[in-house]
Structures are given as C-alpha cells and as structure tokens.
Amino acid sequence: MAAQQPRVGGLLSALAELVVSIGGYYALRAVGVDAFWSLVAPGFGVALVAVIATVRRRRIDLVGLLVLFEVAASLALVLITRDPRVAAVRGPVYVAIGGLFCLATLLRERPMTAVSTASLASFGDPVRAAAFETAWREEPRYRLAMRAQTGAIGLILIIGSAVQADVLYSYPLSEVTRAIDIANVANTGMWVAAVVATAGLMAPARRIVLSVAGRSHDQGA
C-alpha cells in the first residue's frame, strides 16, 4: 500500500497567515501605525495570500476554506467592534482549531503525524514508503510514538493558544500593545515546545523505521 499523500496547500495558507499577521504587525508598528490598524491591515494580506493559493491549486480543500472563512469573519468582527484584541486573538483561535484537529485524528485509523511523516520523510522513495508502512502495520512502538506525537502537538497548540488569549484579555485596552507583545512571546514558546516534542518523539520512531528497512534489505539480499 502506498503512503497517503497529505494535502498541504491549505496548511501552507494557514502558516502564511501566521507569518503575515505577526510580521506585518511589527512592521507597521515600526513605522508608526497604531495598534488597531497594525493588527487589521495584515489580515487583508492574509486574505490575498489565501485567495492566490486557492486559485493556483484550482480547488479549495478543507483547510484552505477554513482559512478564507476565518479571515473574512474575523476582519468583519474586528471592524464592527473596533477592538484590537479581537484581531490579535485571531491567530491563537486558528491555531487552537489546528490543535483540536490533531487530537481528532487520533480517533482515525492513522493519526495526523503518521500520515504526514510517512509521506514527507519517504521523499517519494517506494522503499522508504514501504518501510514506514511496515513499521505502522507491525510495530506497536511505532504506532504508539506516532499517536503520542500527534497528541502532544495537539495539546501544546491548544494550551499555548489558550495562554495567549488569556494574556490578551487580561490587560485593559489601554495596554493592548504590551499584551500583544507578551502573547507573541508565549506564541514563540508554544512553537518551540511543539518542535521539541516533534523531534523528541520522532527519534525513537526513526530508529524503528530504520530497523524495519534494515530487515527488509537483509531479507531481499
């Protein structure tokens, strides 16, 4: 059985949203734009990136559609309320949805990281792909590592997003810029923790896959 190929177009749109939103905010603040418009303006850039990505793919996948809907809804809400915290919390809310998606895949036959790792790490090599498939089918430790990795990523994203939202709304509007700076520090810590968890749980999984590939090579020799 060939490894399943993940649809990454919408995911790239979601990552672009985070980069454009945070980078755009600090770029605009550096040239003297107030906090409200520094938060709102990058949203239009995010919408443009999402539309371009969708046009290039010539289809809308689930994640891409979620990005477009989330951007449109959040921009409308922030323009109505004129509350910069609504714009600032957009990123944490979206990341929390991603965390919930990770946890939801634990209910499927294969969790998110089992699918994405097999597809990306095989580099299109059928021998590598077969090793990942065999490891999933025959090695309980590999299945446990993939489920633990998916669960850890999901929990980190949800908890990190909740911390950011709490920070943003624990400060009064008069101190919103300070709240945003602190929330962005928490955001950085969240992603660092996600990377550490991913790498830490990938190490034993990699050893298992290499062992499976070695056995297959010996049997074929």
Side-chain angles (χ1 to χ4, degrees), residues 137-219:
R137 188 175 60 250
E138 299 180 359
E139 297 289 343
R141 293 177 301 155
Y142 180 77
R143 294 195 295 270
L144 178 61
M146 290 295 97
R147 292 190 180 281
Q149 188 182 68
T150 298
I153 293 172
L155 289 174
I156 288 170
L157 296 185
I158 292 170
I159 294 171
S161 297
V163 170
Q164 292 173 66
D166 180 67
V167 168
L168 289 168
Y169 280 92
S170 65
Y171 283 80
L173 275 174
S174 60
E175 297 183 46
V176 68
T177 55
R178 181 179 181 183
I180 292 170
D181 289 340
I182 296 173
N184 283 336
V185 171
N187 180 61
T188 301
M190 175 188 70
W191 288 112
V192 169
V195 169
V196 170
T198 299
L201 290 166
M202 182 56 68
R206 180 176 180 273
R207 288 194 293 270
I208 294 170
V209 172
L210 289 175
S211 175
V212 169
R215 292 201 304 267
S216 298
H217 177 75
D218 293 341
Q219 291 171 1

Side-chain angles (χ1 to χ4, degrees), residues 2-202:
Q4 300 179 46
Q5 298 295 323
R7 297 179 177 180
V8 298
L11 177 59
L12 292 178
S13 295
L15 294 176
E17 177 185 2
L18 294 174
V19 172
V20 173
S21 296
I22 296 175
Y25 168 77
Y26 283 109
L28 291 172
R29 289 294 292 160
V31 298
V33 179
D34 65 36
F36 179 80
W37 287 110
S38 292
L39 288 166
V40 173
F44 293 101
V46 167
L48 180 62
V49 169
V51 170
I52 291 174
T54 299
V55 171
R56 292 185 65 181
R57 294 194 306 273
R58 297 182 180 180
R59 64 177 174 79
I60 300 179
D61 59 26
L62 183 60
V63 181
L65 181 62
L66 183 60
V67 171
L68 290 172
F69 175 78
E70 179 269 335
V71 170
S74 62
L75 285 177
L77 184 60
V78 73
L79 290 173
I80 292 171
T81 63
R82 306 288 296 185
D83 187 340
R85 293 174 299 187
V86 175
V89 82
R90 183 180 71 236
V93 168
Y94 193 76
V95 171
I97 292 172
L100 289 172
F101 175 79
C102 287
L103 296 183
T105 65
L106 291 173
L107 301 176
R108 302 183 61 186
E109 179 185 357
R110 302 193 186 200
M112 185 191 72
T113 57
V115 176
S116 60
T117 298
S119 178
L120 297 175
S122 63
F123 300 104
D125 183 344
V127 176
R128 287 174 178 263
F132 280 101
E133 176 64 25
T134 301
W136 175 264
R137 188 175 60 250
E138 299 180 359
E139 297 289 343
R141 293 177 301 155
Y142 180 77
R143 294 195 295 270
L144 178 61
M146 290 295 97
R147 292 190 180 281
Q149 188 182 68
T150 298
I153 293 172
L155 289 174
I156 288 170
L157 296 185
I158 292 170
I159 294 171
S161 297
V163 170
Q164 292 173 66
D166 180 67
V167 168
L168 289 168
Y169 280 92
S170 65
Y171 283 80
L173 275 174
S174 60
E175 297 183 46
V176 68
T177 55
R178 181 179 181 183
I180 292 170
D181 289 340
I182 296 173
N184 283 336
V185 171
N187 180 61
T188 301
M190 175 188 70
W191 288 112
V192 169
V195 169
V196 170
T198 299
L201 290 166
M202 182 56 68

